[in-house]
């Protein structure tokens, strides 16, 4: 069955770079895209970036200068990097399948604090 | 960016009642292929969001037909007939027609 699972460091210091991994199973990254979405504590959802089945990428324009999304199809993994982290980047980070958001991972909490 | 305005922000309902949630976009959500990429998600407490309806009116896999979606262009509605306890949580609309994709602020459905 289709599954996605996020992994990350949990705690990141301000100004450092965040690296997150989404590991998928039950589908191929060459057939479906993957989006990253985040949710600050007690707040709503924000789309961050996506990588599509052909390898092209799209970013939230408000965050684009700080983001990089890539994939390793041999490992069924999508990687998200975000630099210059600030406290307002503290959030639950989810990966979801494609632009239909039909399957989601459980999320990984990222706290930005010194 | 496309602004998605959801109303009401919260709803208090009794089990068995029917409710509607509105989602309005600042631009038409009709894509160049003629399709409208407006979806509805439910985030139950402590859970990841779950897809309920895609492309305005198509039920997601395993979603009961108590849920229905209607609308076009910039004005969309999610209706829940005969609310059940498992329907409680926060409902979000999301547009995937224009980049960046954007979500509504959410509608919290609570028990009366």
């Amino acid at each position: 069955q289709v599954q996605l699972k996020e992994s990350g460091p949990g705690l990141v210091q301000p100004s450092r770079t965040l690296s997150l991994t989404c590991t998928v199973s039950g589908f191929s990254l060459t057939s479906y895209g993957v989006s990253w979405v985040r949710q600050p504590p007690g707040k709503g959802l924000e789309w961050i970036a996506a990588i599509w089945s052909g390898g092209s990428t799209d970013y939230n324009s408000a965050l684009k200068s700080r983001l990089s999304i890539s994939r390793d199809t041999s490992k069924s993994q999508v990687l998200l990097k975000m630099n210059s982290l600030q406290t307002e980047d503290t959030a639950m980070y989810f990966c979801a399948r494609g632009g239909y958001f039909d399957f989601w991972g459980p999320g990984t909490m990222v706290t930005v604090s010194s | 960016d496309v602004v998605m305005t959801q109303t009401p922000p919260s709803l208090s309902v009794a089990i068995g009642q029917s409710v509607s949630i509105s989602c309005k976009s600042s631009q038409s959500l009709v894509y160049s292929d003629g399709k409208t990429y407006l979806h509805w998600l439910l985030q139950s407490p402590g859970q990841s969001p779950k897809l309920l309806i895609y492309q305005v009116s198509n039920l997601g896999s395993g979603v009961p037909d108590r849920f229905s979606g209607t609308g076009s262009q910039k004005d969309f509605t999610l209706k829940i007939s005969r609310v059940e306890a498992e329907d409680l949580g926060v409902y979000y609309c999301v547009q995937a027609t224009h980049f960046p994709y954007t979500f509504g602020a959410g509608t919290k459905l609570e028990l009366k």
Side-chain angles (χ1 to χ4, degrees):
Chain A
Q1 71 274 32
V2 172
Q3 291 186 322
L4 301 93
K5 186 167 185 180
E6 307 86 351
S7 56
L11 179 66
V12 182
Q13 292 182 327
S15 78
R16 302 298 292 265
T17 296
L18 171 67
S19 294
L20 297 174
T21 300
C22 175
T23 303
V24 309
S25 59
F27 68 98
S28 170
L29 293 177
T30 58
S31 297
Y32 291 88
V34 169
S35 287
W36 284 96
V37 175
R38 69 180 180 178
Q39 184 172 39
K43 296 191 175 180
L45 301 167
E46 179 183 32
W47 179 82
I48 299 170
I51 187 163
W52 304 109
S53 56
S56 63
T57 59
D58 284 292
Y59 296 97
N60 187 322
S61 48
L63 301 168
K64 185 174 182 176
S65 62
R66 301 167 53 206
L67 292 173
S68 172
I69 189 170
S70 61
R71 67 184 184 180
D72 184 335
T73 55
S74 67
K75 294 182 179 179
S76 294
Q77 291 180 334
V78 174
L79 313 172
L80 181 75
K81 290 186 186 296
M82 180 185 296
N83 59 33
S84 303
L85 251 61
Q86 302 301 319
T87 54
E88 52 265 34
D89 295 312
T90 293
M92 184 72 81
Y93 285 75
F94 298 99
C95 57
R97 193 169 75 166
Y100 283 90
F101 306 103
D102 55 349
F103 292 92
W104 292 67
T108 185
M109 185 67 201
V110 174
T111 301
V112 181
S113 175
S114 54
Chain B
D1 297 359
V2 177
V3 176
M4 305 297 289
T5 302
Q6 258 184 264
T7 54
S10 65
L11 275 172
S12 183
V13 300
I15 299 299
Q17 199 176 338
S18 295
V19 296
S20 292
I21 299 169
S22 171
C23 178
K24 296 183 189 296
S25 60
S26 60
Q27 301 177 32
S28 170
L29 298 185
V30 180
Y31 189 57
S32 54
D33 62 3
K35 297 179 181 179
T36 300
Y37 295 94
L38 183 283
H39 316 313
W40 290 94
L41 309 170
L42 166 61
Q43 187 172 31
S44 301
Q47 303 290 314
S48 307
K50 171 191 171 183
L51 178 68
L52 292 176
I53 287 177
Y54 64 95
Q55 286 181 237
V56 182
S57 59
N58 298 286
L59 281 180
S61 177
V63 176
D65 60 7
R66 299 182 291 99
F67 292 90
S68 61
T70 58
S72 63
Q73 299 288 332
K74 299 166 56 177
D75 195 350
F76 306 92
T77 301
L78 173 71
K79 183 177 179 180
I80 313 169
S81 303
R82 306 178 307 281
V83 167
E84 298 186 4
E86 65 185 27
D87 301 337
L88 304 181
V90 182
Y91 289 80
Y92 294 96
C93 58
V94 55
Q95 68 81 18
T97 297
H98 305 284
F99 287 110
Y101 295 164
T102 46
F103 294 83
T107 296
K108 188 173 185 178
L109 189 66
E110 300 174 301
L111 263 184
K112 187 179 290 183

